Amino acid sequence: MALNLAGLSAYTDQNAMDLIKEAVLKGRTVDLVTVQGGVKSSATINRLSTTLNAAAGACGWSATNSTILDQRTISVCDIKVNESVCLNDLENYYTQIQMNPGSYNTEIPFEQLYAENKKDVIMALIEDLIWKGNTATGTGNLALCDGLIKLFHAATASTLSNFGTYSINTTTLASTIIAKVDEACGKIDTDIIDTDDLHLFMGYADYRIYARALRDANYFAYSGAEDQGQEFSQMHPGTNVRVIAVRGLNSANRWVLTRASNIYVGTDLLSDAEDFRIFYSQDNDEVRFLAKWKLGVQVAYLEEVVYYIGS
């Protein structure tokens, strides 16, 4: 007689390979801009400027000059992430093979990978909030805090005069993007034209169109990002402006050109978002994850911002 296997299911080996974590495009805006720590609720960016009125040399005293001290306020939002993991649930799946013997399990068997993944997605969330957060119109996580786009969008009708538009049609943009970047560079405030941290921030999709357009145009002296030490970033030819892709502007159809140091990110303790807690709660018989941080954005000088809207 032959084997009767009707009562069996086909075997799939679920333990042959290690557990791997998802790939997450993390943010890098925080590494470029000014970070202001120690902000519990709100704090000020303190500014100094001078009104200079020179006069012809003569006897007497004519005090017509003034020094201006003013401020811009940066407010932060409280954000947290909570998660509970019932370790008993893991005993019903392939994960049981990674668990310690006995019924009193108190640790996630893949805790390091779990922590690395949580760190990646939290850093990605912070990046998205810095640019696209909107407490009025945002959905999901993006409703937790206000970001730079909301700040700039509100300013275009009042104090922000250096703004323009670009086509979001990929075919049109491919043929116009170099000229549009030139145009944006031409709008830079003349007082900051020689600074060394001018950045044109854009999403990765627009950056790839820009890089391809530069390559195709050739100019006989094209040097891409691979020769400049930073991926998805390069100096715009003939300028001191670094064009850089950031996750926070993906699908936002916005470009922002300013000194990186002009953008402020406010927080309390700089390491809060990364210094999360993973602990066993004996009262609840579960492992818990807790992350808490504060986040807010502001710019020191709106007049130094060149803001482009895709249309």
Side-chain angles (χ1 to χ4, degrees):
M1 294 181 62
L3 290 174
N4 185 342
L5 305 179
L8 299 179
S9 299
Y11 173 69
T12 300
D13 187 355
Q14 298 187 55
N15 302 305
M17 298 186 67
D18 293 334
L19 185 65
I20 60 173
K21 64 184 179 74
E22 62 181 334
V24 179
L25 179 63
K26 296 181 286 294
R28 54 181 173 181
T29 300
V30 170
D31 298 328
L32 299 169
V33 302
T34 302
V35 178
Q36 183 163 331
V39 184
K40 292 291 187 183
S41 58
S42 63
T44 57
I45 302 171
N46 301 315
R47 310 187 307 179
L48 181 148
S49 60
T50 294
T51 300
L52 190 64
N53 295 306
C59 293
W61 187 264
S62 178
T64 59
N65 297 282
S66 60
T67 298
I68 303 168
L69 298 175
D70 62 0
Q71 299 173 324
R72 288 183 63 80
T73 300
I74 182 168
S75 300
V76 296
C77 309
D78 278 301
I79 302 172
K80 70 173 184 176
V81 175
N82 296 156
E83 182 172 307
S84 300
V85 178
C86 177
L87 296 176
N88 286 354
D89 292 343
L90 298 177
E91 294 180 346
N92 298 321
Y93 301 96
Y94 74 93
T95 46
Q96 65 177 262
I97 201 171
Q98 302 177 30
M99 302 182 73
N100 294 325
S103 298
Y104 292 95
N105 283 290
T106 60
E107 296 179 353
I108 299 175
F110 43 86
E111 184 171 299
Q112 180 176 348
L113 201 65
Y114 175 90
E116 290 174 356
N117 179 246
K118 283 291 188 287
K119 177 183 176 181
D120 289 349
V121 296
I122 287 174
M123 293 300 104
L125 171 60
I126 290 173
E127 170 82 7
D128 290 345
L129 284 170
I130 286 172
W131 292 101
K132 294 184 289 193
N134 193 314
T135 56
T137 62
T139 58
N141 290 335
L142 293 181
L144 291 170
C145 209
D146 288 328
L148 291 167
I149 289 177
K150 182 178 180 181
L151 175 68
F152 297 145
H153 193 70
T156 54
S158 54
T159 57
L160 191 61
S161 59
N162 298 324
F163 65 93
T165 62
Y166 70 94
S167 172
I168 59 174
N169 180 288
T170 54
T171 302
T172 304
L173 185 58
S175 62
T176 61
I177 191 166
I178 296 176
K180 279 295 181 180
V181 172
D182 284 336
E183 178 184 293
C185 292
K187 293 179 181 288
I188 298 171
D189 190 299
T190 54
D191 285 331
I192 64 168
I193 195 67
D194 63 342
T195 54
D196 60 3
D197 66 336
L198 286 169
H199 285 68
L200 173 54
F201 299 94
M202 62 176 60
Y204 278 80
D206 285 353
Y207 178 85
R208 293 175 70 183
I209 294 172
Y210 166 76
R212 185 165 60 247
L214 277 183
R215 180 201 65 196
D216 293 346
N218 192 358
Y219 294 139
F220 305 101
Y222 171 70
S223 177
E226 68 278 1
D227 297 323
Q228 299 186 40
Q230 192 175 41
E231 294 181 350
F232 295 99
S233 166
Q234 58 188 299
M235 302 302 295
H236 187 57
T239 74
N240 60 333
V241 175
R242 177 170 290 277
V243 182
I244 184 168
V246 291
R247 173 197 164 98
L249 288 177
N250 281 350
S251 303
N253 300 323
R254 298 290 190 274
W255 298 352
V256 175
L257 198 171
T258 188
R259 293 182 296 128
S261 56
N262 188 41
I263 297 174
Y264 279 70
V265 171
T267 187
D268 189 357
L269 191 63
L270 300 183
S271 60
D272 271 349
E274 298 181 17
D275 190 21
F276 46 73
R277 307 285 191 268
I278 301 174
F279 59 94
Y280 177 70
S281 171
Q282 188 168 343
D283 290 344
N284 298 280
D285 191 21
E286 62 189 12
V287 172
R288 292 187 166 186
F289 174 89
L290 170 65
K292 298 174 67 178
W293 70 94
K294 295 178 175 65
L295 182 69
V297 297
Q298 187 56 274
V299 292
Y301 297 95
L302 274 170
E303 60 270 23
E304 293 184 3
V305 176
V306 179
Y307 182 56
Y308 266 57
I309 302 172
S311 60

